[in-house]
């Protein structure tokens, strides 16, 4: 019964986030549509830049043009999911912590976890990259003549989930700094995620191992699109198992959970004397 | 063990903070680099009080006396160093989400309204997030429109409201779920109001 109530509440929270997003879009539709179009063009330009290089040179580092396109579609899908579910600073959590805005969340009669899962859902203003990603995926699958089975779809969803878990865990891990230094670390998750985001759209095939390995361990940009795309194409690189991203996501998520909980304890023990009113409600 | 007769039960609560100190002399700046000076502030020192249901209490004291700290402790935003707190027989530390179904709090320096939406949309948002039944929501909304004279503000975007209008809208939003305990800290003043029913 309790679980049923929780599920109902989560669905309700997703629905109200979606409604707020739609009403925000309709507030000034011209500017909203211009923003959405701008974001889509920006993302397409990133994707097409790499793809055009691949066409010019007949592939990159052993990956064919269509394989590069497939990797780009995966990368666009990840960006799309990030925007679709993380537009309320719920992934860029250092902003909420650093601005002392966790208190807004404490006032609500729902667990923090539930609020953070549902609070950034923007299916209307944030869907463009996801849709483009889906289109690119279909085009690349067709060109590659991939056999799309149910098992392959499950693997795709699992890899996307692992990639999102890595992004979120990395953000929450570095964002713990905002508990201790709210002013200095307010934007640390932006720096951690978006500072190296561009790297994730480049095929690392053909690069020497001393470049590939750090990008699969210290900075997991290789796990954002390159590694999972090759796994889905049946060519896991560097003789690593296809399950490597899942193991990485698990370890990172556990570390993030441990340190974030410690930071949260610090926050409710020491308090935050830094409240910034902007940015909490759009 | 908490007493159910009381709306609020604060028992031997102590809360301390550490404040950074620095003077602006050259020596002070260098010392800050090596060994920053810190001062221990005891915001609440073994404080105990109870407030019964239906009581209306003004919580007053000089600046820095620990009024805001008390409010944050009562809402689970802060944890005490020692002592016990219960509000409506619930522990703010361990049952915060449950407590928030019955508690209303409004800090003067912040708003719960959605900035780029009409006031009524923030109210609709609260209805869903708090799970307020339709009849309760409608009854309270009608009452608050009349009491706080906010009928003309409902379609206005929160961003466009004057400070006084925003405060009235925020107050209405705080009351929408029929809170049993209301905490109303007044910004920068030397008293806070608590209302219990």
């Amino acid at each position: 019964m309790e679980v049923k109530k929780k599920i109902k509440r989560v669905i309700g929270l997703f629905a109200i986030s979606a409604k707020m997003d739609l009403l925000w879009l309709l507030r000034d539709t011209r500017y909203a549509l211009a923003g959405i179009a701008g974001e889509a063009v920006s993302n397409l330009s990133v994707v097409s830049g790499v793809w055009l290089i691949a066409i010019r040179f007949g592939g990159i580092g052993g990956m064919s043009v269509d394989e590069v396109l497939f990797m780009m579609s995966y990368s666009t899908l990840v960006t799309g999911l990030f925007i679709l579910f993380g537009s309320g600073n719920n992934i860029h959590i250092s902003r909420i912590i650093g601005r002392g805005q966790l208190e807004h969340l404490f006032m609500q009669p729902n667990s923090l976890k539930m609020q953070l899962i549902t609070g950034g859902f923007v299916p209307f203003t944030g869907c463009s990259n996801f849709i483009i990603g889906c289109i690119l995926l279909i085009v690349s699958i067709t060109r590659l003549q991939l056999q799309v089975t149910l098992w392959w779809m499950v693997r795709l969803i699992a890899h996307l989930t692992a990639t999102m878990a890595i992004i979120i865990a990395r953000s929450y891990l570095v964002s713990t700094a905002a508990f201790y230094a709210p002013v200095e670390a307010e934007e640390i998750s932006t720096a951690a995620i978006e500072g190296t985001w561009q790297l994730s759209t480049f095929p690392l095939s053909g690069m020497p191992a001393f470049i590939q390995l750090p990008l699969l361990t210290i900075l997991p940009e290789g796990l954002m699109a390159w590694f999972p795309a090759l796994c889905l194409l049946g060519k896991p690189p560097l003789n690593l198992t296809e399950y490597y991203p899942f193991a990485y996501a698990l370890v990172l998520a556990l570390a993030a959970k441990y340190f974030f909980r410690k930071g949260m304890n610090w926050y409710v023990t020491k308090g935050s004397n830094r409240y910034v009113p902007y940015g909490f409600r759009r | 063990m908490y007493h159910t007769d009381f709306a609020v039960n604060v028992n031997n609560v102590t809360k301390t903070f550490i404040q950074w100190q620095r003077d602006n002399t050259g020596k002070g700046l260098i010392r800050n680099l090596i060994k920053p000076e810190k001062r221990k502030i005891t915001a609440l020192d073994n404080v105990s009080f109870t407030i019964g249901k239906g009581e209306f209490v003004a919580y007053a004291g000089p600046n820095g006396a620990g009024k805001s700290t008390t409010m944050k402790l009562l809402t689970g935003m802060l944890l005490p160093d020692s002592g016990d707190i219960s509000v409506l027989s619930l522990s703010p530390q361990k049952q915060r989400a449950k407590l928030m179904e019955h508690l209303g709090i409004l800090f003067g320096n912040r708003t719960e309204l959605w900035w780029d939406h009409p006031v009524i949309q923030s109210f609709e948002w609260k209805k869903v997030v708090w799970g307020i039944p339709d009849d309760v929501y409608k009854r309270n909304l009608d009452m608050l429109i009349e009491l706080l004279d906010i009928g003309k503000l409902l379609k206005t975007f929160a961003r466009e409201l004057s400070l006084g209008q925003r405060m009235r809208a925020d107050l209405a939003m705080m009351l929408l779920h029929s809170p049993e305990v209301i905490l109303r800290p007044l910004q920068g003043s030397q008293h806070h109001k608590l209302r219990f029913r």
Side-chain angles (χ1 to χ4, degrees):
Chain A
M1 191 62 188
E2 192 60 32
V3 175
K4 209 173 173 183
K5 198 176 158 190
K6 263 187 189 172
I7 292 170
K8 199 178 164 192
R9 179 61 64 92
V10 168
I11 292 169
L13 292 175
F14 269 122
I16 192 67
S17 289
K19 187 177 177 184
M20 299 305 279
D21 183 46
L22 177 64
L23 292 170
W24 187 84
L25 171 70
L26 298 175
R27 181 187 71 111
D28 197 330
T29 314
R30 270 185 315 164
Y31 285 107
L33 290 177
I36 293 167
E39 204 167 76
V41 168
S42 159
N43 196 263
L44 269 176
S45 66
V46 172
V47 171
S48 57
V50 178
W51 195 46
L52 288 172
I53 291 171
I55 291 174
R56 171 67 182 77
F57 295 103
I60 297 175
M63 286 176 79
S64 72
V65 175
D66 292 333
E67 285 173 342
V68 170
L69 181 64
F70 178 75
M71 185 193 137
M72 292 293 103
S73 74
Y74 188 93
S75 169
T76 311
L77 272 177
V78 169
T79 309
L81 286 170
F82 181 88
I83 295 169
L84 198 57
F85 289 96
S87 290
N89 287 340
N90 51 336
I91 294 181
H92 283 312
I93 190 72
S94 64
R95 291 180 185 159
I96 290 180
I97 301 165
R99 294 170 189 170
Q101 294 167 346
L102 273 177
E103 290 175 8
H104 285 286
L105 306 184
F106 287 142
M107 286 182 200
Q108 294 180 32
N110 297 307
S111 67
L112 281 181
K113 204 183 287 177
M114 197 186 283
Q115 293 179 55
L116 291 170
I117 288 168
T118 58
F121 184 49
V122 288
F124 297 98
T125 57
C127 63
S128 61
N129 278 309
F130 184 73
I131 292 170
I132 290 169
C134 289
I135 294 168
L136 287 176
L137 185 71
I138 293 166
V139 170
S140 61
I141 284 172
T142 310
R143 290 172 66 106
L144 285 164
Q145 295 180 323
L146 279 179
Q147 284 282 324
V148 179
T149 60
L150 184 63
W151 174 237
W152 190 88
M153 287 301 291
V154 170
R155 284 169 59 218
L156 172 67
I157 292 167
H159 273 292
L160 285 170
T161 307
T163 307
M164 288 306 295
I166 291 168
I167 292 170
I168 295 166
R170 179 156 67 145
S171 174
Y172 275 60
L173 187 61
V174 298
S175 291
T176 53
F179 286 118
Y180 310 102
V183 179
E184 296 83 352
E186 180 185 322
E187 286 294 337
I188 196 167
S189 75
T190 319
I193 294 176
E194 292 175 18
T196 51
W197 193 274
Q198 301 290 329
L199 277 175
S200 67
T201 59
F202 282 94
L204 300 178
S205 301
M207 292 279 182
F210 74 85
I211 289 179
Q212 288 175 337
L213 283 174
L215 290 172
L216 293 176
T217 50
I218 304 161
L219 285 176
E221 307 308 325
L223 296 174
M224 297 294 102
W226 175 67
F227 192 97
L230 284 179
C231 288
L232 289 164
L233 292 171
K235 305 171 179 175
L238 294 168
N239 293 323
L240 286 167
T241 163
E242 181 178 355
Y243 301 109
Y244 173 68
F246 303 103
Y248 191 95
L250 181 67
V251 171
L252 201 62
L254 288 174
K257 186 180 176 185
Y258 174 76
F259 286 106
F260 196 81
R261 187 167 281 184
K262 276 188 85 165
M264 187 64 93
N265 282 338
W266 171 276
Y267 188 93
V268 293
T269 305
K270 307 290 179 188
S272 171
N273 58 4
R274 183 170 189 263
Y275 179 72
V276 182
Y278 64 80
F280 177 68
R281 299 261 190 256
R282 285 179 300 132
Chain B
M1 181 63 73
Y2 300 123
H3 298 284
T4 52
D5 295 344
F6 298 114
V8 174
N9 192 345
V10 174
N11 192 19
N12 296 323
V13 167
T14 296
K15 183 68 194 172
T16 56
F17 294 104
I18 302 294
Q19 273 186 352
W20 282 34
Q21 307 282 307
R22 195 191 77 188
D23 60 45
N24 277 341
T25 61
K27 197 178 163 186
L29 293 173
I30 292 166
R31 191 174 54 218
N32 181 59
L33 288 173
I34 302 160
K35 191 182 178 189
E37 185 186 343
K38 291 179 181 177
R39 187 169 64 147
K40 188 177 176 184
I41 305 289
T42 305
L44 297 175
D45 189 5
N46 215 25
V47 170
S48 297
F49 64 86
T50 55
I51 299 170
K53 290 177 181 172
E55 282 191 79
F56 185 98
V57 176
Y59 191 56
N63 291 332
K67 302 179 296 296
S68 297
T69 299
T70 307
M71 295 298 140
K72 289 186 177 183
L73 288 168
L74 291 176
T75 52
M77 292 176 186
L78 273 178
L79 301 183
D81 295 348
S82 62
D84 296 315
I85 299 170
S86 79
V87 180
L88 297 169
S89 305
L90 296 167
S91 163
Q93 299 172 40
K94 294 170 186 163
Q95 297 162 291
R96 181 198 58 76
K98 180 81 181 155
L99 176 61
M100 288 302 149
E101 290 176 9
H102 307 281
L103 193 142
I105 181 157
L106 176 59
F107 286 99
N109 62 339
R110 60 195 73 177
T111 181
E112 293 304 308
L113 297 166
W114 284 70
W115 213 230
D116 283 322
H117 287 278
V119 171
I120 189 67
Q121 192 50 45
S122 292
F123 291 0
E124 296 281 342
W125 171 83
K126 172 153 185 173
K127 178 178 180 287
V128 174
V129 174
W130 263 254
I132 307 170
D134 289 344
D135 56 333
V136 175
Y137 175 75
K138 190 175 180 326
R139 189 181 64 228
N140 285 348
L141 183 61
D142 290 345
M143 179 188 72
L144 291 164
I145 287 171
E146 194 185 327
L147 268 179
L148 296 168
D149 190 23
I150 55 166
K152 287 180 182 166
L153 306 181
L154 292 179
K155 293 180 185 172
T156 308
F157 286 79
R159 188 185 287 283
E160 311 277 332
L161 298 174
S162 70
L163 179 63
Q165 289 172 330
R166 183 175 68 71
M167 291 307 293
R168 276 189 288 145
D170 256 320
L171 193 58
M173 186 154 158
M174 190 251 291
L175 295 168
L176 272 175
H177 65 294
S178 304
E180 293 170 54
V181 172
I182 296 166
L183 306 175
R184 176 70 182 91
L186 300 174
Q187 186 189 10
S189 60
Q190 296 193 345
H191 58 279
H192 289 215
K193 286 179 182 172
L194 298 89
R195 168 83 168 90
F196 309 96
R197 69 174 202 194

PDB file of all heavy atoms in Angstrom, chain A residues 58-76:
ATOM      1  N   GLY A  58      36.844   9.399 -44.518  1.00  0.00           N
ATOM      2  CA  GLY A  58      36.355   8.023 -44.680  1.00  0.00           C
ATOM      3  C   GLY A  58      36.338   7.238 -43.381  1.00  0.00           C
ATOM      4  O   GLY A  58      36.636   6.040 -43.351  1.00  0.00           O
ATOM      5  N   GLY A  59      36.022   7.946 -42.298  1.00  0.00           N
ATOM      6  CA  GLY A  59      35.990   7.298 -40.977  1.00  0.00           C
ATOM      7  C   GLY A  59      37.036   7.902 -40.055  1.00  0.00           C
ATOM      8  O   GLY A  59      37.865   8.706 -40.496  1.00  0.00           O
ATOM      9  N   ILE A  60      36.996   7.519 -38.772  1.00  0.00           N
ATOM     10  CA  ILE A  60      37.975   8.029 -37.809  1.00  0.00           C
ATOM     11  C   ILE A  60      38.525   6.850 -37.006  1.00  0.00           C
ATOM     12  O   ILE A  60      37.759   6.108 -36.379  1.00  0.00           O
ATOM     13  CB  ILE A  60      37.339   9.061 -36.842  1.00  0.00           C
ATOM     14  CG1 ILE A  60      36.841  10.297 -37.615  1.00  0.00           C
ATOM     15  CG2 ILE A  60      38.337   9.491 -35.762  1.00  0.00           C
ATOM     16  CD1 ILE A  60      36.096  11.314 -36.778  1.00  0.00           C
ATOM     17  N   GLY A  61      39.846   6.703 -37.056  1.00  0.00           N
ATOM     18  CA  GLY A  61      40.525   5.712 -36.213  1.00  0.00           C
ATOM     19  C   GLY A  61      39.967   4.311 -36.307  1.00  0.00           C
ATOM     20  O   GLY A  61      39.808   3.644 -35.282  1.00  0.00           O
ATOM     21  N   GLY A  62      39.631   3.905 -37.497  1.00  0.00           N
ATOM     22  CA  GLY A  62      39.125   2.536 -37.638  1.00  0.00           C
ATOM     23  C   GLY A  62      37.615   2.439 -37.545  1.00  0.00           C
ATOM     24  O   GLY A  62      37.043   1.377 -37.792  1.00  0.00           O
ATOM     25  N   MET A  63      36.945   3.534 -37.161  1.00  0.00           N
ATOM     26  CA  MET A  63      35.475   3.520 -37.140  1.00  0.00           C
ATOM     27  C   MET A  63      34.971   4.062 -38.471  1.00  0.00           C
ATOM     28  O   MET A  63      35.458   5.091 -38.951  1.00  0.00           O
ATOM     29  CB  MET A  63      34.932   4.405 -36.004  1.00  0.00           C
ATOM     30  CG  MET A  63      35.106   3.800 -34.618  1.00  0.00           C
ATOM     31  SD  MET A  63      34.546   4.928 -33.320  1.00  0.00           S
ATOM     32  CE  MET A  63      32.767   4.704 -33.387  1.00  0.00           C
ATOM     33  N   SER A  64      33.995   3.380 -39.056  1.00  0.00           N
ATOM     34  CA  SER A  64      33.454   3.841 -40.326  1.00  0.00           C
ATOM     35  C   SER A  64      32.601   5.088 -40.115  1.00  0.00           C
ATOM     36  O   SER A  64      32.253   5.421 -38.963  1.00  0.00           O
ATOM     37  CB  SER A  64      32.607   2.735 -40.963  1.00  0.00           C
ATOM     38  OG  SER A  64      31.399   2.590 -40.226  1.00  0.00           O
ATOM     39  N   VAL A  65      32.235   5.725 -41.207  1.00  0.00           N
ATOM     40  CA  VAL A  65      31.407   6.947 -41.124  1.00  0.00           C
ATOM     41  C   VAL A  65      30.094   6.635 -40.402  1.00  0.00           C
ATOM     42  O   VAL A  65      29.653   7.401 -39.530  1.00  0.00           O
ATOM     43  CB  VAL A  65      31.125   7.493 -42.549  1.00  0.00           C
ATOM     44  CG1 VAL A  65      30.165   8.682 -42.489  1.00  0.00           C
ATOM     45  CG2 VAL A  65      32.418   7.900 -43.223  1.00  0.00           C
ATOM     46  N   ASP A  66      29.487   5.525 -40.748  1.00  0.00           N
ATOM     47  CA  ASP A  66      28.192   5.193 -40.140  1.00  0.00           C
ATOM     48  C   ASP A  66      28.332   4.804 -38.663  1.00  0.00           C
ATOM     49  O   ASP A  66      27.436   5.060 -37.862  1.00  0.00           O
ATOM     50  CB  ASP A  66      27.521   4.055 -40.927  1.00  0.00           C
ATOM     51  CG  ASP A  66      27.111   4.527 -42.319  1.00  0.00           C
ATOM     52  OD1 ASP A  66      26.861   5.743 -42.473  1.00  0.00           O
ATOM     53  OD2 ASP A  66      27.071   3.696 -43.244  1.00  0.00           O
ATOM     54  N   GLU A  67      29.464   4.195 -38.341  1.00  0.00           N
ATOM     55  CA  GLU A  67      29.705   3.886 -36.920  1.00  0.00           C
ATOM     56  C   GLU A  67      29.886   5.172 -36.112  1.00  0.00           C
ATOM     57  O   GLU A  67      29.428   5.276 -34.970  1.00  0.00           O
ATOM     58  CB  GLU A  67      30.931   2.980 -36.774  1.00  0.00           C
ATOM     59  CG  GLU A  67      30.642   1.532 -37.177  1.00  0.00           C
ATOM     60  CD  GLU A  67      31.892   0.656 -37.201  1.00  0.00           C
ATOM     61  OE1 GLU A  67      33.020   1.206 -37.235  1.00  0.00           O
ATOM     62  OE2 GLU A  67      31.743  -0.582 -37.204  1.00  0.00           O
ATOM     63  N   VAL A  68      30.562   6.140 -36.726  1.00  0.00           N
ATOM     64  CA  VAL A  68      30.713   7.454 -36.064  1.00  0.00           C
ATOM     65  C   VAL A  68      29.337   8.086 -35.877  1.00  0.00           C
ATOM     66  O   VAL A  68      29.032   8.643 -34.813  1.00  0.00           O
ATOM     67  CB  VAL A  68      31.644   8.390 -36.877  1.00  0.00           C
ATOM     68  CG1 VAL A  68      31.619   9.810 -36.328  1.00  0.00           C
ATOM     69  CG2 VAL A  68      33.075   7.853 -36.879  1.00  0.00           C
ATOM     70  N   LEU A  69      28.495   7.978 -36.903  1.00  0.00           N
ATOM     71  CA  LEU A  69      27.143   8.533 -36.809  1.00  0.00           C
ATOM     72  C   LEU A  69      26.358   7.849 -35.675  1.00  0.00           C
ATOM     73  O   LEU A  69      25.644   8.506 -34.911  1.00  0.00           O
ATOM     74  CB  LEU A  69      26.392   8.354 -38.137  1.00  0.00           C
ATOM     75  CG  LEU A  69      24.973   8.929 -38.170  1.00  0.00           C
ATOM     76  CD1 LEU A  69      25.001  10.449 -38.003  1.00  0.00           C
ATOM     77  CD2 LEU A  69      24.248   8.565 -39.475  1.00  0.00           C
ATOM     78  N   PHE A  70      26.548   6.547 -35.551  1.00  0.00           N
ATOM     79  CA  PHE A  70      25.878   5.806 -34.481  1.00  0.00           C
ATOM     80  C   PHE A  70      26.347   6.310 -33.111  1.00  0.00           C
ATOM     81  O   PHE A  70      25.547   6.526 -32.197  1.00  0.00           O
ATOM     82  CB  PHE A  70      26.176   4.298 -34.614  1.00  0.00           C
ATOM     83  CG  PHE A  70      25.560   3.468 -33.529  1.00  0.00           C
ATOM     84  CD1 PHE A  70      24.201   3.190 -33.526  1.00  0.00           C
ATOM     85  CD2 PHE A  70      26.329   2.979 -32.486  1.00  0.00           C
ATOM     86  CE1 PHE A  70      23.627   2.431 -32.507  1.00  0.00           C
ATOM     87  CE2 PHE A  70      25.768   2.220 -31.465  1.00  0.00           C
ATOM     88  CZ  PHE A  70      24.409   1.948 -31.473  1.00  0.00           C
ATOM     89  N   MET A  71      27.649   6.534 -33.016  1.00  0.00           N
ATOM     90  CA  MET A  71      28.190   7.044 -31.748  1.00  0.00           C
ATOM     91  C   MET A  71      27.638   8.447 -31.452  1.00  0.00           C
ATOM     92  O   MET A  71      27.298   8.767 -30.313  1.00  0.00           O
ATOM     93  CB  MET A  71      29.721   7.092 -31.838  1.00  0.00           C
ATOM     94  CG  MET A  71      30.368   7.497 -30.532  1.00  0.00           C
ATOM     95  SD  MET A  71      32.103   7.923 -30.755  1.00  0.00           S
ATOM     96  CE  MET A  71      32.188   9.379 -29.759  1.00  0.00           C
ATOM     97  N   MET A  72      27.529   9.248 -32.502  1.00  0.00           N
ATOM     98  CA  MET A  72      26.979  10.599 -32.330  1.00  0.00           C
ATOM     99  C   MET A  72      25.522  10.539 -31.862  1.00  0.00           C
ATOM    100  O   MET A  72      25.082  11.340 -31.039  1.00  0.00           O
ATOM    101  CB  MET A  72      27.032  11.377 -33.656  1.00  0.00           C
ATOM    102  CG  MET A  72      28.420  11.727 -34.133  1.00  0.00           C
ATOM    103  SD  MET A  72      29.229  12.895 -33.065  1.00  0.00           S
ATOM    104  CE  MET A  72      30.324  11.820 -32.189  1.00  0.00           C
ATOM    105  N   SER A  73      24.781   9.570 -32.398  1.00  0.00           N
ATOM    106  CA  SER A  73      23.368   9.441 -32.003  1.00  0.00           C
ATOM    107  C   SER A  73      23.277   9.066 -30.528  1.00  0.00           C
ATOM    108  O   SER A  73      22.427   9.567 -29.795  1.00  0.00           O
ATOM    109  CB  SER A  73      22.653   8.397 -32.875  1.00  0.00           C
ATOM    110  OG  SER A  73      23.043   7.088 -32.527  1.00  0.00           O
ATOM    111  N   TYR A  74      24.209   8.210 -30.089  1.00  0.00           N
ATOM    112  CA  TYR A  74      24.225   7.811 -28.674  1.00  0.00           C
ATOM    113  C   TYR A  74      24.535   9.034 -27.804  1.00  0.00           C
ATOM    114  O   TYR A  74      23.867   9.287 -26.796  1.00  0.00           O
ATOM    115  CB  TYR A  74      25.285   6.725 -28.452  1.00  0.00           C
ATOM    116  CG  TYR A  74      25.254   6.121 -27.062  1.00  0.00           C
ATOM    117  CD1 TYR A  74      24.525   4.966 -26.792  1.00  0.00           C
ATOM    118  CD2 TYR A  74      25.950   6.716 -26.011  1.00  0.00           C
ATOM    119  CE1 TYR A  74      24.484   4.419 -25.515  1.00  0.00           C
ATOM    120  CE2 TYR A  74      25.915   6.189 -24.736  1.00  0.00           C
ATOM    121  CZ  TYR A  74      25.183   5.034 -24.489  1.00  0.00           C
ATOM    122  OH  TYR A  74      25.153   4.508 -23.217  1.00  0.00           O
ATOM    123  N   SER A  75      25.518   9.802 -28.242  1.00  0.00           N
ATOM    124  CA  SER A  75      25.907  10.999 -27.491  1.00  0.00           C
ATOM    125  C   SER A  75      24.747  12.001 -27.414  1.00  0.00           C
ATOM    126  O   SER A  75      24.497  12.601 -26.363  1.00  0.00           O
ATOM    127  CB  SER A  75      27.118  11.648 -28.185  1.00  0.00           C
ATOM    128  OG  SER A  75      27.362  12.911 -27.666  1.00  0.00           O
ATOM    129  N   THR A  76      24.035  12.156 -28.529  1.00  0.00           N
ATOM    130  CA  THR A  76      22.905  13.093 -28.553  1.00  0.00           C
ATOM    131  C   THR A  76      21.771  12.601 -27.648  1.00  0.00           C
ATOM    132  O   THR A  76      21.105  13.400 -26.985  1.00  0.00           O
ATOM    133  CB  THR A  76      22.382  13.266 -29.999  1.00  0.00           C
ATOM    134  OG1 THR A  76      23.497  13.534 -30.845  1.00  0.00           O
ATOM    135  CG2 THR A  76      21.413  14.431 -30.111  1.00  0.00           C
TER     136      THR A  76
END
